[in-house]
Amino acid sequence: QVQLVESGGGLVQAGGSLRLSCAASGRTFSTYPMGWFRQAPGKEREFVAAINWNGGRTVYADSVKGRFTISRDNTKNTVYLQTNSLKPEDTAVYYCAASYAYSGSYYVPRDLEKYDYWGQGTQVTVSS
């Protein structure tokens, strides 16, 4: 089992930055690809970014490419999402997730159904 807890969300002005963290516990965290997803009110949950087990491969949604950076520190059982140049449309609850099916893989899934474990989310609000 894997437990995930997000933190670092808050209220920020457009153009600002936040660093989101996801602290993980469980027997095989270091082998799991990790993803960030977000969900705004009335909208479906969408893919934001993901990283493979050793950090050698990262993928991003087009909407955040060049602005957001995903990273991980397996010695701390933590994955990060650095969000820069934030826009009001980035406002959402941000969730981290872990994929058991792709454990140890070079490949990183983008589809939310490929992720098995989810955190409770952290709210990011960007004002204009």
Side-chain angles (χ1 to χ4, degrees), residues 5-99:
V5 180
E6 302 95 335
S7 63
L11 176 65
V12 65
Q13 297 254 27
S17 300
L18 289 171
R19 188 179 72 163
L20 309 184
S21 298
C22 176
S25 62
R27 66 185 184 275
T28 55
F29 165 78
S30 63
T31 71
Y32 288 178
M34 298 292 297
W36 285 96
F37 295 77
R38 66 187 182 186
Q39 188 167 23
K43 299 183 67 176
E44 295 184 350
R45 193 169 298 186
E46 66 176 355
F47 170 78
V48 176
I51 188 167
N52 81 326
W53 73 276
N54 67 357
R57 179 173 170 82
T58 58
V59 294
Y60 297 91
D62 288 343
S63 60
V64 306
K65 196 172 299 181
R67 298 189 297 122
F68 292 8
T69 303
I70 188 170
S71 61
R72 70 191 296 164
D73 185 344
N74 286 346
T75 69
K76 298 180 179 179
N77 293 328
T78 302
V79 62
Y80 305 95
L81 186 70
Q82 179 68 46
T83 68
N84 298 327
S85 301
L86 284 163
K87 306 173 182 179
E89 51 263 44
D90 294 318
T91 295
V93 177
Y94 283 70
Y95 300 89
C96 68
S99 175

Side-chain angles (χ1 to χ4, degrees), residues 111-123:
D111 298 333
L112 60 87
E113 66 267 20
K114 301 298 184 182
Y115 288 83
D116 305 286
Y117 305 103
W118 294 83
Q120 292 296 111
T122 185
Q123 176 71 50

